[in-house]
Amino acid sequence: MSVRLTLLSFLSRRTVRPLLARARSPEANRRLLERAARRWFRAPPYALYRDSDAGSGGLWISARPGSHPPRPGKLILYVHGGGFISGSPRTHAAMCARLAWLTGVEVFVPRYRLAPTDPFPAGREDIRAAWEAVIAKGYRPRDVILAGDSAGANLIFGLLADLCAEGACPAGVVALSPIADFTFSGASIADNAATECMLPAERRDELVDWYLGKHDPADPHASPLFATYTAPPPVLIQYAENELLRDDGVRLAQVLRDAGGEVVVQTWPRAPHVFQIFDGWVPEARDALTGVADFVKRCLA
């Protein structure tokens, strides 16, 4: 564990987690993430961003063709996190630009409606529409990687279960610290309450109210841990061992393996939730994104 990651974990625990614990509304969470994105998230040079009006809209991200041309016909469909109440394609643009640089593959980050204004299943519907828009543009399912972090990873696994049932699986799936179980039955929810660097465990029920309302938290479309996956494609899951959501990743990997899927799990002993977004600040973030890139390139070979 590098000195920089140790410092990032310390600062997250002392500043970010208390801020999230005290935030009075989803709007406060959104402002916090947007400020962090503008100030702290670093993009590689020569990144190219193009707005899209496909589906609910979004952002196309690639390296500039003159510097690092993307592979034609290949795509990463990346769904941003933010607890279902915050985040946007712009907040995650820097990390996705690094993924585009490392993989040589263009990235599309769709926009989706956020709770509590638009609770479940609005975001799920928007991500399905984004998939349909990508296919309508001529991408084949076997040439697309589904990827996402935290809440975004939840949404891609909900989509994956449907695609597997329809026989239209993507080439692979990448999940960074997924939230997969809104019943919060994983042991790490309690075991890691003190070691979690970023997410305040005491607000989990409030998140359920904002996102699900009266909807059953065990619904497989809301909690993909309980979904059925038919012949799933290769999956990469990354998380930190000290996270609240550690066991969501552990158990989801086992569900996918039991369904016959190949699952690669990469873990770090102590790191903030979705530490990969701090690429350019801590070496472990680049190591993690390099692991993602290697997996993507193998799936799209």
Side-chain angles (χ1 to χ4, degrees):
M1 184 170 175
S2 70
V3 173
R4 288 188 178 188
L5 183 59
T6 301
L7 180 59
L8 175 64
S9 297
F10 173 79
L11 292 174
S12 295
R13 187 176 295 109
R14 289 299 184 93
T15 60
V16 178
R17 191 171 73 173
L19 285 172
L20 292 176
R22 294 196 303 267
R24 296 183 178 180
S25 67
E27 290 74 17
N29 291 69
R30 292 171 194 169
R31 289 192 296 269
L32 179 64
L33 181 53
E34 288 164 1
R35 286 198 300 268
R38 289 193 298 268
R39 183 166 184 177
W40 298 111
F41 301 164
R42 290 180 168 179
Y46 310 117
L48 179 64
Y49 307 97
R50 295 177 292 120
D51 288 312
S52 170
D53 57 4
S56 297
L59 198 62
W60 292 88
I61 304 171
S62 65
R64 292 187 181 274
S67 62
H68 207 64
R71 295 171 59 189
K74 309 294 184 181
L75 184 69
I76 298 171
L77 175 58
Y78 191 97
V79 183
H80 70 80
F84 304 95
I85 61 172
S86 63
S88 71
R90 289 287 175 182
T91 59
H92 287 62
M95 180 175 66
C96 289
R98 179 61 67 183
L99 281 177
W101 181 270
L102 291 171
T103 60
V105 176
E106 191 167 28
V107 180
F108 176 53
V109 188
R111 184 174 293 105
Y112 61 92
R113 288 169 289 174
L114 300 174
T117 305
D118 293 292
F120 178 87
R124 166 180 162 76
E125 293 169 351
D126 291 344
I127 297 310
R128 178 67 198 223
W131 171 267
E132 299 294 348
V134 161
I135 299 303
K137 284 179 69 69
Y139 290 97
R140 298 173 299 181
R142 65 177 180 270
D143 291 328
V144 179
I145 297 289
L146 284 180
D149 64 276
S150 193
N154 171 289
L155 293 170
I156 63 168
F157 279 115
L159 174 61
L160 177 66
D162 290 345
L163 296 179
C164 287
E166 297 163 12
C169 282
V173 177
V174 174
L176 312 181
S177 300
I179 175 169
D181 175 16
F182 268 111
T183 70
F184 299 116
S185 58
S188 59
I189 295 294
D191 294 348
N192 288 351
T195 59
E196 166 67 52
C197 299
M198 191 169 292
L199 303 179
E202 64 272 20
R203 301 201 72 169
R204 62 184 185 272
D205 292 336
E206 196 171 14
L207 175 61
V208 173
D209 289 340
W210 283 336
Y211 180 55
L212 293 180
K214 300 300 183 181
H215 201 87
D216 182 6
D219 182 336
H221 291 120
S223 294
L225 179 67
F226 307 121
T228 299
Y229 301 92
T230 305
V235 174
L236 169 65
I237 299 177
Q238 294 183 345
Y239 57 83
E241 293 287 351
N242 60 299
E243 286 194 75
L244 287 178
L245 300 177
R246 178 199 66 199
D247 285 0
D248 283 38
V250 171
R251 294 180 296 159
L252 188 54
Q254 190 57 53
V255 166
L256 292 161
R257 287 176 178 137
D258 290 344
E262 172 201 346
V263 184
V264 178
V265 175
Q266 296 174 349
T267 67
W268 283 258
R270 297 184 70 84
H273 180 64
V274 194
F275 66 95
Q276 297 88 340
I277 207 165
F278 291 98
D279 176 70
W281 292 100
V282 297
E284 287 84 354
R286 182 65 56 82
D287 291 342
L289 294 181
T290 299
V292 171
D294 291 343
F295 176 82
V296 168
K297 287 186 281 189
R298 177 168 66 85
C299 290
L300 294 178

